[in-house]
Amino acid sequence: MWTGVFPAVTTKFTEDDRLDHAEMERCFALQMEASCDGIIVCGSLGEGPMLSHDEKIDVLKTAQKIAGNKPVLLTVNEPGTREAAAIARRAAREGANGLMVVPSPIYHTNAEETVAALRAVAEAGDLPVMIYSNRLAYRVDVTVDQMEELAKDKRFVAIKESSDDIRRSTEIINRFGDRYDLFTGVDNLAFEALSVGAIGWVAGLVTAFPRETVAIYQLMKQGRREEALTIYRWFRPLLDLDVSTYLVQNIKLAEVLAINTNDRVRMPRQPLSGERRKTVEKIVRDALAGRPELPQF
C-alpha cells in the first residue's frame, strides 16, 4: 500500500510561537518537488507532543494542500489511549490517508497493553495504520510477536522499524512476508535496511536534503547499490544527527543551512547554541561543500 520516501516533516513556528503555515507550505513543497512519496506530520521530529490537537489537524491540512494525491499520515503519540483515539477520529474526518501510531510516550505499556492500545486507536480512526516501533526513544518495543497479533486486523498495514537492530527487519520479513509494508525509521541504518528488504524510508534529514535521500532510495530500488552507497557514505555524518536527543534542533539547524529556513522550536526545546551548535554547523557545512553530483535514476 505504501512505499518510498516519506519525510517526517518538521513543524514551523512564527517568532511568537504560532504555526507558520506559509513556511511549512514552502518546505513541504521542496519534498514533493524532489519526488518524495508521502508526508508524515506531527511525529517526533514534527514536535507532535508539543502541539495541541487543533494544531495537529491544522498541520495535517497544510500538508494535504501540498501533497496532492500522495498520502499524508498523522502521527498519533498521545499519553493516553482516550486522547489517541480522539485525534485518530479527527484525522479520519479531515481526510488523513493513514495514521502512524506510537505507544504511549508516558506510560510504558506491557505487551498486552501495547496491543490493546494500538487496536483501540485503529478502531477509532478506521484508517490504515503504520505501527511505529521505537524501543529506544519510547521504551516500548512492539515486538514481532505483537505484530503477529495486530496482523489479524487489516487496518495495520505498515511498520516503521526503529528498533536500532537491523536484524529485526529480516525477522519481520521472515515472519510475515509482504503482509506489512516495511519502512526503516532510522536514518543512519537506511541503506542497510533497504539492502535487506525494506520498501520504504520514514526519513528525517530528508527535510534538509530531499534529493539525496530520494536518490539513495531510487538507486537501491533499481539495484544500483554502489551508486547509492557512494551517496550514503557522504550522507552518513548528516544522518547521524537524526539519532540524538537533539534530533529536532539538529535537523532544524541543517534546514537553516540547506534550505534557508529557521530553526525555531517549541519550548522546553531551544535552538542549539554554543559548542553543540558549532559542531552541527561544521558537519552540515562540510557536507554542503562536498555535496555529490546525483546520477540520473
Side-chain angles (χ1 to χ4, degrees):
M1 181 175 180
W2 294 324
T3 186
V5 176
F6 280 44
V9 291
T10 57
T11 301
K12 293 299 178 186
F13 302 105
T14 62
E15 290 184 3
D16 60 352
D17 198 36
R18 292 179 297 157
L19 296 178
D20 188 343
H21 290 285
E23 185 61 3
M24 282 189 279
E25 288 182 17
R26 186 185 76 85
C27 293
F28 297 172
L30 294 175
Q31 306 299 302
M32 296 297 99
E33 290 165 10
S35 299
C36 291
D37 300 284
I39 295 178
I40 299 178
V41 299
C42 305
S44 304
L45 183 55
E47 298 174 77
M50 312 301 177
L51 304 176
S52 70
H53 281 198
D54 287 344
E55 287 177 319
K56 291 181 180 185
I57 296 300
D58 287 345
V59 174
L60 171 69
K61 291 178 179 178
T62 296
Q64 290 170 324
K65 179 179 177 181
I66 301 302
N69 62 358
K70 293 182 178 179
V72 179
L73 281 60
L74 178 73
T75 307
V76 177
N77 46 16
E78 303 297 319
T81 302
R82 180 183 62 177
E83 292 76 16
I87 191 64
R89 283 189 287 267
R90 287 190 67 178
R93 289 197 298 267
E94 296 297 341
N97 299 104
L99 306 170
M100 184 170 77
V101 183
V102 180
S104 171
I106 301 299
Y107 174 69
H108 305 139
T109 50
N110 65 29
E112 182 180 357
E113 292 168 331
T114 300
V115 169
L118 291 172
R119 280 177 172 159
V121 175
E123 290 169 4
D126 197 25
L127 290 170
V129 171
M130 178 183 290
I131 302 165
Y132 184 9
S133 176
N134 188 334
R135 62 189 179 191
L136 296 184
Y138 298 109
R139 288 179 280 181
V140 172
D141 188 8
V142 184
T143 65
V144 176
D145 286 343
Q146 290 167 41
M147 293 174 194
E148 186 159 3
E149 282 294 304
L150 295 168
K152 300 169 186 176
D153 186 333
K154 65 181 181 181
R155 287 172 289 215
F156 293 101
V157 300
I159 307 290
K160 179 184 176 184
E161 211 303 285
S162 299
S163 69
D164 204 39
D165 181 354
I166 194 60
R167 293 169 294 190
R168 178 69 66 84
S169 295
T170 297
E171 291 166 6
I172 291 170
I173 293 169
N174 282 350
R175 181 79 67 94
F176 303 111
D178 62 359
R179 164 62 183 83
Y180 288 113
D181 298 332
L182 178 61
F183 280 66
T184 179
V186 181
D187 268 2
N188 63 3
L189 279 177
F191 180 87
E192 293 83 352
L194 293 169
S195 296
V196 298
I199 64 170
W201 181 358
V202 178
L205 267 298
V206 67
T207 64
F209 295 91
R211 296 191 184 279
E212 289 83 357
T213 307
V214 171
I216 291 169
Y217 177 81
Q218 290 295 338
L219 291 167
M220 290 296 288
K221 184 177 178 181
Q222 294 174 21
R224 296 161 65 181
R225 180 182 181 279
E226 291 303 318
E227 292 172 273
L229 184 56
T230 297
I231 302 168
Y232 185 69
R233 285 172 174 160
W234 162 83
F235 212 174
R236 260 298 303 273
L238 292 164
L239 298 176
D240 290 347
L241 298 175
D242 182 56
V243 187
S244 166
T245 303
Y246 299 96
L247 82 158
V248 176
Q249 295 97 317
N250 289 345
I251 293 175
K252 282 194 166 181
L253 180 52
E255 290 179 322
V256 168
L257 299 171
I259 63 171
N260 194 32
T261 187
N262 67 75
D263 63 343
R264 289 189 282 268
V265 289
R266 180 158 281 178
M267 292 182 70
R269 286 188 177 91
Q270 295 186 8
L272 296 182
S273 61
E275 290 303 313
R276 183 171 281 116
R277 188 177 186 93
K278 290 179 184 177
T279 298
V280 174
E281 280 190 353
K282 184 178 187 307
I283 291 169
V284 179
R285 292 190 190 280
D286 286 351
L288 288 168
R291 204 167 192 171
E293 183 175 345
L294 300 179
Q296 296 295 316
F297 52 84

